[in-house]
Amino acid sequence: ACGKSGGETKTDAAADTAQTEDTGNTAAASGDGITVGWIVQDMANESQSYSCRIAEEKAKELGINLTSYDQAGDAQKATDAISTCIAQGVDAIIINPADPQAVVPALMEAKEAGIVVGLFSSDLAAESQQYRDFFCGTNDTMAGEQAAQAIIDAFPDGCNVVEIGGQSGHDAQVKRSDGFKAGLEGSNITVLDSKNCDQWATEDSMAIMEDFIVKYGDKIDAVFCHWDNGATGVINALENANMDGVYIVAVDGCSAGYDHVKDGTQAVCIGQSFTNMVAQSLDCAQKAVAGESFEEINWIPLDTVTSENVDSLPYPEW
Amino acid sequence: MEQKKDLILKVSGVTKRFPGVLALNKVSLEIPKGVVYGIVGENGAGKSTLMKILSGVYEKDEGTIEFDGEIIEHTTPIQALRRGLSIIYQEFNLVNTMTVGENIFLGRFSENHGMKGTHQKARELLDSIGSKIDTYTLVGDLSASEMQMVEITKALSFDSKLIIMDEPSSSLTTEELKKLGEIIFQLRNKGISIIYISHKLDEIFEYCNIVTIMRDGNVIDTKPIEELTRSEMIAKMVGRTIENEYPPRAHFVGEPLLEVKNLNTSKLHDINFTLHKGEILGLVGLVGAGRTEIIRAIYGADKVKSKELIMEGKPVTVSSPRDAKALGMGLVPEDRKQEGLILRFSVGENITMAALSEIAKKGVLNRKKEKEIENRQIENLLIKTPSAAAKVLNLSGGNQQKCVVGRWLELNPKVLILDEPTRGIDVGAKYEIYVLMNKIVEQGGAIIMISSELPEVLSMSNRVLTVCDGRITGEFSPEEVDPSEIMDRAIG
Amino acid sequence: MGKSIDVKKFLLHNLVLLGIVVLCVVTAIVEPLFLTQNNFTNILRQFGPLSFVALGMTYVIIGGFLDLSVVGIISLVGVVTLSLIDPLGQVGALLCGLLLGTFLGFLNGVILVGFGARIQAEVLFITYGMSSIFGAIALIYTNSETEHMSRLSNPYTIFTWIGKGKVGPLAVSMILFVISLVAVEWFYRKTLWGRQIALMGGNKIAATLCGYNMKRTMVLVYTICGLFAGMGSIVLISRVTTASPVAGAGYETDAIMSVVVGGTALAGGTGSGIRTVLGVLLIILLSNCMNMLGVSTYLQTIMKGLVLVIAIWLDNRKEQQIH
Amino acid sequence: MDTKRVFIKAKQVLLKQKAVLAILAMLILMLFFNTQFYSVYNWMNVFRSATVQGIIAMGVTMTVLCAACDLSVGGIMCLSGVITVLMINSGMPIAVACLCALLAGAAVGLVNGFLVVHQRTEPFIITLGMGTLLKGICQQLTDAHPIACTNMEFMKISNTKIFGHIPILVLYMAIILVIFFCVLRFTTYGRNCYAIGGNYDVAKYSGINTVMIKWSTFVISGVMAALAGILLSSRMNSASSVYGDNTGMLVNCGVVIGGTSFAGGIGGVVQSFIGVFVLQLMSNCMDCLGIGAYVQQLLQGIIIVLILGFDCFGRLRKREHV
Ligand SMILES: Nc1ncnc2c1ncn2[C@@H]1O[C@H](COP(=O)(O)OP(=O)(O)OP(=O)(O)O)[C@@H](O)[C@H]1O
Ligand SMILES: Nc1ncnc2c1ncn2[C@@H]1O[C@H](COP(=O)(O)OP(=O)(O)OP(=O)(O)O)[C@@H](O)[C@H]1O
Ligand SMILES: [Mg+2]
Ligand SMILES: [Mg+2]
């Protein structure tokens, strides 16, 4: 948007980078490793903090100098974190944005400063994808679609399903919900009701499920809950009401989800593999900084975890 | 016709009701231009209420008000000010967080061309009444009397035709009182009328031309001052004749009860004195001399550098009001609204406050006993209230004070500390409080009394200490000494 | 004539009750399932965590203060309690959890007294900071991982009992709450200590000069609040069988809202725990009824805000009319 | 005499302003670490980050000075962003959209003011409820989806840089700060705000139109929050119902940290900006040092407690009261 000033920023940031290398960053592990700013969506969120942890481990392995920043689920903090990364003169930024829309202007600035930009887990909308170099992640929309598919497969003759969404307005909630709706289109599955929570809180999902049970009772054949820990609440509510055989689908693939699938309380768990995601993004970042060729879009496939394959899949560490 | 022209204010048939109280009953007044018009009456007579109606704080229920030839149906404080009626309220009426200068010109910042102009003009006004208060100090840091002077200055800053002073002198020292008198005469000579409300009858006789006496919301009488005698006035105020303003001094002085030794704080230096059983000890001094600080330090309410207390021959430590109370002390603070009362609570709750710990058995309270105490004290002290459940907020100043005193009487304290116990209290109630004081000493208790009214201290106490600048400068026997000698020591 | 005034007065005094009745009647007409025993049990269970927290908050507010740190206390007590079941056994963990809540509240009180905070405005954001600290400790303690009861090796039957158990038609958490309510209300109304809370809310200086130790009273109310937040947290983890280090978000707002909607003045000095129960009931019913009526999540948020604003407003008008 | 007064005042400010002390401490601390903290870019970044909250803090300060507070600013900010972006996306001119958003902010402020000032409800609780209400409205308007602005011109409002380095947001902040400072310091209106906060009844008896002035501060607060919402949305070229969830608390906390008393009548916009800034700077320092998120939260909590705590302590010492 602002060519001239952008140019100056670039030299500025470049100078900063040079300085960093001159003096030797305090956190530098190895001399020639690239520096990466890893911007986590919300360190208070289990899955995000887990992905951050493995990113730190993986980076050490690869000799990458990785500093993690937290956006605490706040879009403005995300832009601040990107600016801090630019100021620190990192080689690459990998971000899992709380709101992909909102980071675009900040990413423009990062690109102008000559920084490699990678998106992790959530991608930018199609029209702004020019502002990032690569994307690694699973597709939350697809997670919703796969959940819908699992239900369609289980109930070929149609059924009644209720949806319990995650935190209202959160990127994952929005995409999972949209994907779920899209996936059900054209099928004979009826969505009885759909409610979101205030937070990603098990208590919220449980309270909503309890109300659904009173209202719809045995009519409920299946439940789509946006996250595995929320499904714990759903399972509790069903247990309290002595309802068996409700088909529960949830997304995340955390250990709670695997446990549920193993006990048979949850039918399907749509799992995302953070290990793969992290490895792929760091690899892309290294290649991009070195100027080698790399894949721009890296979909990490989602695992549909069911009782059949749960034992064959590696048990998640979070 | 001719006479009417000379009236600045004409009030006829004004009535005001509060829930459960008929505060004003068809009150009529006529105030000529250029006079000092005194209004006297017991606590709760309705003086303040009438003034608040004039200044637009309250709405009247009935009656008409004519100000400067104009009938006023409805007014607000700002309209009243614009018309030329300014008022010094009985309660302090300043913003503690702002400077003296800004307070004087509150709401009129731009008229004075900003901060500098405001302070300059304030300085001029303060100089004109001979006050040395720095216009840049925060009002919150001033003493009670300095605040009062600021209030007076504020009222003067308006170009007023009528200035209402609702007990302006209640916390002034003799010196400042003299200044106030001069100001009042100056204003009167300029043709400005003044309504002067006070419980200090000397002032009324000194300053006022005409006096109206009120009782229970009614106007009892209006007379030129020359036609009234002091005892006549008092009789009309309280509705019965009072022989003496002060009861006979009690003489029960016994062995030492409380010895204060080596008391030092940041403001006090080497305070030593002894209080005897059955004694009323008066503390006299100018405002800011540190009298309040002395008693607060003794009571454990302020930090001290050093302090030794010996009670009934035994050394005791008092590091908090709690300790003090356990030893049988009680304190009636000078600022009853901030430190004495819980304004939102009922009269009863305020009365039983101190005694709760006594009636609690192993920490469990007894509602029945609480009720007994409430009723007993309300009767004892003749507190004018619709019921024990009425909010103390709605009581008149004097009755509020009685609640604070009553709370300690229930405990029969050994040492009762009274800081300005009669401030803003009418003659009748004062007498009652004096009698109560005597009763306490009769039972072997002792009283430390701070008062800015010298006659009161001299008539009530057995011994007087003068305080100046944080030091005790003299000890007198009030029966033998000349008041001017005491003031001499108090000035330092 | 006299009668109509009485009705009006009664309604004015019990606006929340009125609101609750209207809400229930409307919901029951539109959705008869609302009146089923199952739903009744639901409401009583959902009532659990918030009611404890709000009850503790009531006394802080009566004392003239506020406590925003309950969020942190809930998070921390939850994760610590659950993680202690294995090493200490369930009874030990439960007691430790309650003790921890009490201690955190006590800590709040001591810190505030130590700094000499005297008014609501001063404590507000200090407790906000404390909440941040407690929350951070919970996150560090768990590394932000959710803990699950199902993974424990020790039995956790007490927690299951608190979370799901019933005595007759009544949820156990409800019974626990009623017992606590009666106990703490008795304490507040009938004991000298309790009365000192009201005196503190009324006028701290006057109460001090009357020989009461307001510092101790201040520590007391925060300790009570901490204890109840801890109890709320334990009821919460029992209910959902997991403990998350970020559980409790939003509880401070809901608790304060419940207290004020119930009719306890934020200015302090007066109020009661029983009124708070009504406030909590309104907030819980609101979400339950709207779920029953099938109102969308977004409209629910709007309605919640609207009802709270209007409830507080009307309550305030009532106060002014009576005086 | 006047220079002496200035000197005393400076000393007072330093002792009273724990936030300034905290900033100094951070600046000194950062000297010992080798980071890019002391680069122009980083400082501009910190200032820019503080802008949105800083602008909201200006309005909130007005309400706090009048002994109220406004916790609905988060909701207003969110609503204003949503309105602006939705209107621009529907093809309206940017100026019209922004104006509508500001009007919406003013309208909310008007309602807040009505409830708090006219109806005398408790500001803390009523604005908290209002925040919830507004969040619901935003969710309803956007179906809880983030919405991107399709008109790329809109982005320029916040993302331009002047003189090469200085983000325009910082300039906005500076201008607004100066305006507010002057209003509060040099106009009757501003002084009246202090009087109202210092003692409402006295202000009323002194003929100040307390209701209108206090009410107007809520409108100002609403408008400033709406302005901040526009700038934020422009900065991020999008709007979403999740923006501003914690803003209300954080900004009010920042205002108090700066030294504007919640009891009213004491403080000012400069202090408030410092209060908001100190939190921002601290988060930047810790980011530069690579401190983990949980420890950051811990340290932030500790700093808030310490600054506010010592403020209380200072006031207590001055009076030596019970
Ligand atoms: N706001 C109010 N609500 C209810 N009753 C009130 C209110 N204000 C005053 N009163 C009652 O009106 C009566 C007159 O009170 P007022 O303050 O005018 O007395 P006063 O003559 O000024 O007494 P004092 O000399 O003690 O100041 C008292 O009985 C008081 O209780
Ligand atoms: N709250 C306060 N803050 C600051 N200064 C105060 C405060 N209270 C009193 N002072 C100052 O301390 C000094 C001593 O006041 P103190 O009240 O002890 O005097 P006093 O002899 O009791 O006079 P008074 O007749 O006013 O009761 C005064 O100069 C006053 O300005
Ligand atoms: Mg009076
Ligand atoms: Mg004194």
Side-chain angles (χ1 to χ4, degrees):
Chain A
C2 35
K4 188 169 172 283
S5 56
E8 290 200 9
T9 314
K10 183 170 182 163
T11 49
D12 221 35
D16 289 350
T17 318
Q19 217 174 38
T20 315
E21 274 159 14
D22 279 353
T23 51
N25 197 311
T26 39
S30 61
D32 56 345
I34 62 166
T35 48
V36 171
W38 181 273
I39 305 178
V40 192
Q41 190 177 78
D42 188 354
M43 281 301 279
N45 182 318
E46 206 172 352
S47 61
Q48 314 301 328
S49 76
Y50 170 70
S51 69
C52 175
R53 220 175 316 144
I54 49 177
E56 278 163 3
E57 279 165 22
K58 190 83 194 166
K60 219 173 263 169
E61 247 170 62
L62 294 172
I64 293 174
N65 199 344
L66 180 138
T67 317
S68 54
Y69 301 92
D70 183 19
Q71 18 174 332
D74 182 341
Q76 202 200 339
K77 275 205 161 166
T79 44
D80 294 348
I82 294 171
S83 302
T84 307
C85 285
I86 299 174
Q88 295 292 313
V90 296
D91 299 313
I93 292 172
I94 300 176
I95 180 171
N96 177 7
D99 177 356
Q101 269 336 323
V103 291
V104 172
L107 290 182
M108 288 178 180
E109 220 176 291
K111 290 245 53 144
E112 276 164 17
I115 294 172
V116 169
V117 173
L119 272 261
F120 176 81
S121 188
S122 300
D123 200 0
L124 299 179
E127 65 271 15
S128 35
Q129 285 180 355
Q130 73 221 55
Y131 303 114
R132 58 124 170 89
D133 295 284
F134 61 87
F135 162 72
C136 293
T138 49
N139 185 338
D140 274 318
T141 319
M142 207 143 66
E145 280 167 11
Q146 281 191 21
Q149 196 53 48
I151 292 175
I152 293 172
D153 290 346
F155 299 90
D157 305 330
C159 71
N160 294 315
V161 59
V162 291
E163 182 191 2
I164 296 175
Q167 181 186 357
S168 231
H170 190 275
D171 187 51
Q173 178 269 321
V174 171
K175 286 184 174 158
R176 285 171 196 174
S177 184
D178 290 350
F180 186 65
K181 261 181 227 143
L184 288 183
E185 221 151 82
S187 74
N188 49 2
I189 307 262
T190 325
V191 179
L192 288 174
D193 211 332
S194 163
K195 290 266 145 61
N196 299 336
C197 301
D198 286 339
Q199 252 94 36
W200 296 94
T202 312
E203 198 209 355
D204 287 6
S205 68
M206 185 165 170
I208 292 174
M209 192 60 207
E210 283 171 342
D211 290 348
F212 280 169
I213 290 173
V214 171
K215 185 155 183 211
Y216 302 106
D218 292 334
K219 266 196 272 177
I220 303 172
D221 299 311
V223 180
F224 171 44
C225 181
H226 280 198
W227 76 114
D228 282 335
N229 278 322
T232 310
V234 172
I235 292 164
N236 284 337
L238 288 168
E239 256 172 29
N240 291 349
N242 295 321
M243 279 171 73
D244 295 329
V246 176
Y247 193 83
I248 298 173
V249 181
V251 185
D252 260 358
C254 68
S255 51
Y258 274 62
D259 288 352
H260 295 151
V261 173
K262 273 184 195 163
D263 324 328
T265 44
Q266 182 176 333
V268 178
C269 161
I270 314 276
Q272 33 189 350
S273 167
F274 284 108
T275 325
N276 289 348
M277 249 188 266
V278 166
Q280 194 79 19
S281 5
L282 290 178
D283 184 47
C284 283
Q286 261 181 331
K287 281 182 179 157
V289 173
E292 294 164 32
S293 67
F294 58 94
E295 226 17 79
E296 192 187 332
I297 294 182
N298 308 271
W299 289 118
I300 310 297
L302 288 154
D303 303 321
T304 303
V305 184
T306 60
S307 54
E308 280 107 59
N309 63 2
V310 65
D311 292 320
S312 60
L313 289 165
Y315 187 74
E317 286 170 46
W318 61 290
Chain B
M1 197 63 214
E2 188 57 39
Q3 224 202 344
K4 214 163 201 173
K5 232 182 181 176
D6 282 327
L7 288 183
I8 179 79
L9 181 74
K10 187 176 162 167
V11 175
S12 34
V14 167
T15 299
K16 175 75 189 170
R17 284 181 198 87
F18 288 116
V21 185
L22 179 62
L24 294 175
N25 183 17
K26 300 215 169 66
V27 169
S28 302
L29 298 175
E30 291 191 346
I31 301 180
K33 284 184 181 162
V35 299
V36 180
Y37 193 102
I39 299 184
V40 294
E42 278 182 295
N43 296 126
K47 305 175 298 280
S48 299
T49 306
L50 179 61
M51 298 310 123
K52 284 185 180 170
I53 287 176
L54 292 179
S55 70
V57 175
Y58 292 154
E59 288 277 343
K60 60 184 184 298
D61 294 338
E62 287 166 30
T64 55
I65 294 171
E66 200 180 318
F67 182 72
D68 208 11
E70 193 186 340
I71 302 250
I72 289 158
E73 255 323 299
H74 175 85
T75 185
T76 59
I78 179 68
Q79 284 168 354
L81 282 172
R82 297 241 165 88
R83 282 203 188 90
L85 186 154
S86 61
I87 175 164
I88 301 168
Y89 292 98
Q90 181 172 9
E91 304 86 26
F92 285 122
N93 212 6
L94 299 168
V95 181
N96 286 345
T97 52
M98 299 179 91
T99 61
V100 170
E102 285 199 82
N103 260 289
I104 291 173
F105 290 102
L106 207 62
R108 294 174 289 160
F109 186 73
S110 59
E111 285 171 30
N112 300 302
H113 312 292
M115 201 68 91
K116 256 206 172 135
T118 301
H119 283 285
Q120 214 163 353
K121 276 205 182 169
R123 182 74 267 154
E124 284 164 20
L125 270 170
L126 282 170
D127 284 343
S128 77
I129 63 165
S131 171
K132 290 193 186 65
I133 304 168
D134 182 13
T135 59
Y136 283 95
T137 40
L138 289 184
V139 164
D141 295 338
L142 298 179
S143 69
S145 78
E146 286 171 320
M147 286 190 199
Q148 195 91 57
M149 290 312 281
V150 175
E151 278 231 64
I152 292 167
T153 318
K154 185 177 165 188
L156 294 181
S157 74
F158 290 92
D159 222 2
S160 305
K161 295 172 197 154
L162 175 65
I163 299 178
I164 297 171
M165 300 186 177
D166 196 351
E167 300 190 29
S169 60
S170 56
S171 55
L172 292 191
T173 51
T174 331
E175 200 64 15
E176 286 160 318
L177 205 56
K178 233 189 254 163
K179 264 181 232 157
L180 178 65
E182 282 165 24
I183 296 166
I184 289 175
F185 287 124
Q186 269 174 28
L187 292 172
R188 194 183 66 186
N189 293 341
K190 280 190 216 160
I192 296 168
S193 304
I194 290 161
I195 297 182
Y196 193 90
I197 298 175
S198 180
H199 290 295
K200 298 185 185 169
L201 301 185
D202 294 338
E203 294 166 17
I204 298 284
F205 280 100
E206 199 177 336
Y207 306 143
C208 299
N209 308 102
I210 310 173
V211 177
T212 284
I213 300 158
M214 289 179 71
R215 191 196 325 142
D216 291 335
N218 295 295
V219 171
I220 301 297
D221 202 357
T222 301
K223 269 189 181 163
I225 196 78
E226 303 82 42
E227 296 169 24
L228 268 170
T229 64
R230 197 180 169 98
S231 57
E232 197 182 336
M233 192 190 280
I234 292 172
K236 282 189 168 153
M237 275 166 69
V238 296
R240 66 193 134 94
T241 31
I242 287 184
E243 312 285 293
N244 287 310
E245 272 178 59
Y246 302 101
R249 198 191 313 262
H251 281 287
F252 304 101
V253 182
E255 69 265 35
L257 178 62
L258 177 72
E259 275 178 69
V260 181
K261 278 190 186 166
N262 191 21
L263 173 64
N264 283 294
T265 72
S266 50
K267 220 165 240 155
L268 302 177
H269 312 283
D270 203 23
I271 304 290
N272 293 291
F273 67 86
T274 308
L275 180 69
H276 298 88
K277 269 192 188 144
E279 182 182 38
I280 298 180
L281 178 68
L283 291 186
V284 177
L286 296 181
V287 160
R291 296 164 299 172
T292 302
E293 308 234 324
I294 292 177
I295 51 106
R296 281 180 65 94
I298 293 172
Y299 196 65
D302 281 346
K303 277 186 196 146
V304 291
K305 281 185 190 151
S306 67
K307 174 169 81 171
E308 282 169 50
L309 293 183
I310 298 169
M311 190 130 183
E312 290 172 325
K314 283 189 276 295
V316 290
T317 41
V318 174
S319 53
S320 71
R322 192 180 146 79
D323 297 345
K325 183 182 168 192
L327 288 170
M329 294 194 208
L331 171 73
V332 175
E334 61 181 333
D335 184 347
R336 61 175 167 262
K337 293 214 160 151
Q338 295 299 321
E339 302 181 342
L341 295 164
I342 305 183
L343 289 169
R344 279 172 292 143
F345 281 21
S346 72
V347 172
E349 282 169 308
N350 272 289
I351 289 174
T352 55
M353 239 173 105
L356 283 179
S357 50
E358 303 302 305
I359 54 173
K361 259 196 205 130
K362 288 197 178 131
V364 181
L365 296 169
N366 183 341
R367 184 76 198 116
K368 225 174 90 193
K369 276 192 188 161
E370 274 182 58
K371 279 237 164 78
E372 278 170 26
I373 296 178
E374 289 170 13
N375 294 330
R376 185 160 55 231
Q377 293 304 334
I378 289 175
E379 269 172 43
N380 252 355
L381 299 174
L382 305 170
I383 296 175
K384 235 176 250 170
T385 169
S387 73
K391 293 212 164 165
V392 85
L393 181 69
N394 296 333
L395 258 51
S396 76
N399 283 307
Q400 289 181 346
Q401 184 73 355
K402 287 188 203 166
C403 292
V404 187
V405 177
R407 130 181 349 149
W408 289 111
L409 295 183
E410 190 58 39
L411 292 179
N412 288 324
K414 283 189 208 152
V415 179
L416 185 60
I417 304 169
L418 303 171
D419 197 352
E420 309 280 4
T422 59
R423 178 180 288 177
I425 292 192
D426 68 54
V427 201
K430 264 183 196 164
Y431 192 84
E432 284 153 25
I433 286 184
Y434 299 145
V435 171
L436 283 168
M437 284 166 65
N438 277 347
K439 213 192 257 172
I440 290 170
V441 291
E442 225 170 288
Q443 288 161 0
I447 289 176
I448 303 177
M449 174 165 106
I450 296 176
S451 171
S452 295
E453 281 188 70
L454 202 51
E456 176 179 282
V457 184
L458 294 181
S459 321
M460 285 308 298
S461 43
N462 306 98
R463 199 149 52 95
V464 175
L465 299 179
T466 52
V467 182
C468 177
D469 221 1
R471 285 176 221 279
I472 292 183
T473 52
E475 184 178 332
F476 300 91
S477 169
E479 286 136 320
E480 296 153 15
V481 82
D482 178 22
S484 65
E485 202 173 318
I486 290 186
M487 276 334 280
D488 230 35
R489 282 297 178 84
I491 289 165
Chain C
M1 184 67 202
K3 203 152 202 183
S4 78
I5 287 176
D6 280 352
V7 171
K8 195 178 157 203
K9 213 169 185 180
F10 178 80
L11 290 183
L12 273 177
H13 269 288
N14 297 283
L15 276 171
V16 186
L17 208 56
L18 183 72
I20 290 174
V21 171
V22 170
L23 197 62
C24 291
V25 169
V26 170
T27 316
I29 290 170
V30 178
E31 181 56 86
L33 284 173
F34 175 75
L35 291 179
T36 54
Q37 148 101 45
N38 276 344
N39 195 41
F40 183 65
T41 318
N42 260 356
I43 292 169
L44 291 191
R45 281 218 197 96
Q46 290 172 12
F47 192 72
L50 179 60
S51 57
F52 282 100
V53 182
L55 186 62
M57 186 71 81
T58 309
Y59 299 99
V60 181
I61 291 180
I62 291 175
F65 296 103
L66 273 176
D67 189 356
L68 296 181
S69 74
V70 288
V71 182
I73 297 181
I74 293 172
S75 312
L76 188 52
V77 170
V79 293
V80 169
T81 308
L82 215 159
S83 72
L84 285 182
I85 294 179
D86 267 346
L88 294 182
Q90 47 176 337
V91 179
L94 187 78
L95 291 179
C96 279
L98 291 179
L99 217 61
L100 178 65
T102 316
F103 171 73
L104 294 180
F106 176 76
L107 191 67
N108 273 333
V110 169
I111 286 178
L112 291 172
V113 166
F115 280 132
R118 288 159 304 120
I119 52 173
Q120 203 169 48
E122 286 175 343
V123 302
L124 192 59
F125 289 105
I126 296 184
T127 56
Y128 180 69
M130 290 308 290
S131 183
S132 201
I133 294 174
F134 297 154
I137 295 174
L139 282 167
I140 293 170
Y141 183 73
T142 59
N143 222 338
S144 104
E145 278 172 44
T146 304
E147 295 171 347
H148 297 263
M149 282 193 188
S150 55
R151 300 213 186 116
L152 296 172
S153 42
N154 264 347
Y156 48 92
T157 41
I158 296 185
F159 293 92
T160 318
W161 183 68
I162 295 174
K164 304 188 191 173
K166 281 203 246 176
V167 177
L170 294 173
V172 169
S173 61
M174 184 71 194
I175 294 171
L176 289 179
F177 175 72
V178 171
I179 293 171
S180 322
L181 174 70
V182 171
V184 75
E185 268 297 288
W186 178 84
F187 176 79
Y188 165 62
R189 284 168 191 278
K190 295 289 175 203
T191 69
L192 181 63
W193 284 68
R195 187 66 72 81
Q196 286 183 38
I197 298 176
L199 293 182
M200 178 166 76
N203 184 342
K204 233 180 138 192
I205 300 176
T208 309
L209 290 180
C210 281
Y212 300 109
N213 189 339
M214 286 298 113
K215 291 177 182 165
R216 216 172 54 185
T217 312
M218 194 162 160
V219 174
L220 175 76
V221 290
Y222 277 96
T223 309
I224 292 177
C225 187
L227 169 67
F228 276 100
M231 280 162 105
S233 176
I234 285 168
V235 172
L236 177 65
I237 61 167
S238 308
R239 189 172 133 72
V240 298
T241 69
T242 61
S244 150
V246 289
Y251 266 90
E252 84 285 31
T253 332
D254 279 358
I256 296 172
M257 291 271 183
S258 314
V259 175
V260 178
V261 166
T264 297
L266 218 45
T270 50
S272 78
I274 295 159
R275 287 174 153 274
T276 300
V277 177
L278 290 181
V280 177
L281 202 60
L282 184 72
I283 287 187
I284 298 290
L285 270 176
L286 205 61
S287 115
N288 178 269
C289 288
M290 286 193 290
N291 279 340
M292 287 294 132
L293 296 175
V295 178
S296 85
T297 318
Y298 318 138
L299 273 179
Q300 282 198 19
T301 316
I302 299 181
M303 285 299 290
K304 187 175 161 190
L306 204 60
V307 167
L308 292 178
V309 168
I310 291 177
I312 295 162
W313 175 35
L314 288 179
D315 195 63
N316 195 65
R317 282 180 69 88
K318 167 202 85 182
E319 292 284 319
Q320 287 176 8
Q321 276 180 26
I322 289 172
H323 301 138
Chain D
M1 170 114 177
D2 252 7
T3 47
K4 197 178 159 199
R5 189 165 274 148
V6 167
F7 178 75
I8 291 171
K9 187 117 196 203
K11 201 174 124 195
Q12 265 177 357
V13 164
L14 257 189
L15 284 181
K16 249 201 306 204
Q17 280 280 332
K18 306 293 181 300
V20 175
L21 281 183
I23 290 179
L24 285 179
M26 274 186 256
L27 294 186
I28 293 169
L29 183 76
M30 289 312 281
L31 285 175
F32 296 101
F33 291 92
N34 204 333
T35 61
Q36 296 302 313
F37 179 76
Y38 280 110
S39 64
V40 178
Y41 184 87
N42 191 51
W43 274 87
M44 285 304 138
N45 168 25
V46 176
F47 273 112
R48 180 169 60 181
S49 306
T51 299
V52 170
Q53 288 188 6
I55 289 177
I56 300 177
M58 299 297 103
V60 170
T61 306
M62 302 285 285
T63 60
V64 174
L65 279 180
C66 287
C69 64
D70 191 350
L71 290 162
S72 68
V73 284
I76 299 176
M77 177 179 101
C78 180
L79 180 69
S80 122
V82 167
I83 289 179
T84 318
V85 174
L86 280 180
M87 287 181 77
I88 292 176
N89 283 0
S90 74
M92 296 227 189
I94 292 175
V96 176
C98 290
L99 196 67
C100 286
L102 291 179
L103 282 178
V108 176
L110 211 62
V111 176
N112 280 338
F114 170 76
L115 292 171
V116 172
V117 185
H118 193 268
Q119 296 291 322
R120 279 179 270 165
T121 54
E122 193 62 51
F124 176 80
I125 202 79
I126 210 93
T127 55
L128 204 59
M130 187 59 81
T132 312
L133 173 61
L134 293 176
K135 187 179 160 83
I137 293 179
C138 293
Q139 288 179 345
Q140 184 73 30
L141 285 175
T142 59
D143 196 20
H145 283 54
I147 38 174
C149 184
T150 49
N151 185 342
M152 289 312 252
E153 287 296 303
F154 178 56
M155 243 181 75
K156 286 189 185 161
I157 296 179
S158 303
N159 286 300
T160 318
K161 287 196 176 176
I162 47 168
F163 309 127
H165 287 304
I166 304 171
I168 192 149
L169 276 176
V170 176
L171 185 73
Y172 295 152
M173 179 70 235
I175 293 172
I176 291 170
L177 185 62
V178 169
I179 293 175
F180 270 83
F181 178 78
C182 291
V183 166
L184 281 177
R185 184 88 194 155
F186 302 119
T187 68
T188 311
Y189 176 84
R191 300 321 294 174
N192 285 354
C193 286
Y194 280 93
I196 290 171
N199 193 330
Y200 188 87
D201 289 327
V202 172
K204 195 164 97 188
Y205 295 163
S206 303
I208 295 171
N209 193 341
T210 46
V211 173
M212 284 322 284
I213 291 179
K214 195 168 175 181
W215 197 334
S216 71
T217 60
F218 277 92
V219 177
I220 293 175
S221 174
V223 171
M224 293 322 286
L227 179 63
I230 295 171
L231 294 179
L232 181 69
S233 282
S234 158
R235 166 115 171 88
M236 310 204 284
N237 197 36
S238 70
S240 159
S241 56
V242 293
Y243 295 173
D245 272 3
N246 293 319
T247 307
M249 273 292 174
L250 267 180
V251 170
N252 279 273
C253 183
V255 166
V256 175
I257 283 181
T260 301
S261 161
F262 235 46
I266 301 171
V269 283
V270 179
Q271 287 95 316
S272 296
F273 181 75
I274 292 173
V276 169
F277 184 73
V278 75
L279 292 180
Q280 201 65 49
L281 186 70
M282 183 171 170
S283 132
N284 183 270
C285 281
M286 293 189 295
D287 271 346
C288 285
L289 294 177
I291 293 174
Y294 311 145
V295 180
Q296 285 204 10
Q297 187 183 335
L298 186 70
L299 290 178
Q300 178 163 346
I302 290 175
I303 283 286
I304 292 175
V305 170
L306 286 183
I307 291 181
L308 293 177
F310 280 115
D311 266 357
C312 289
F313 199 61
R315 281 196 283 275
L316 191 77
R317 284 269 299 277
K318 209 177 112 203
R319 280 199 214 110
E320 292 201 8
H321 259 191
V322 256

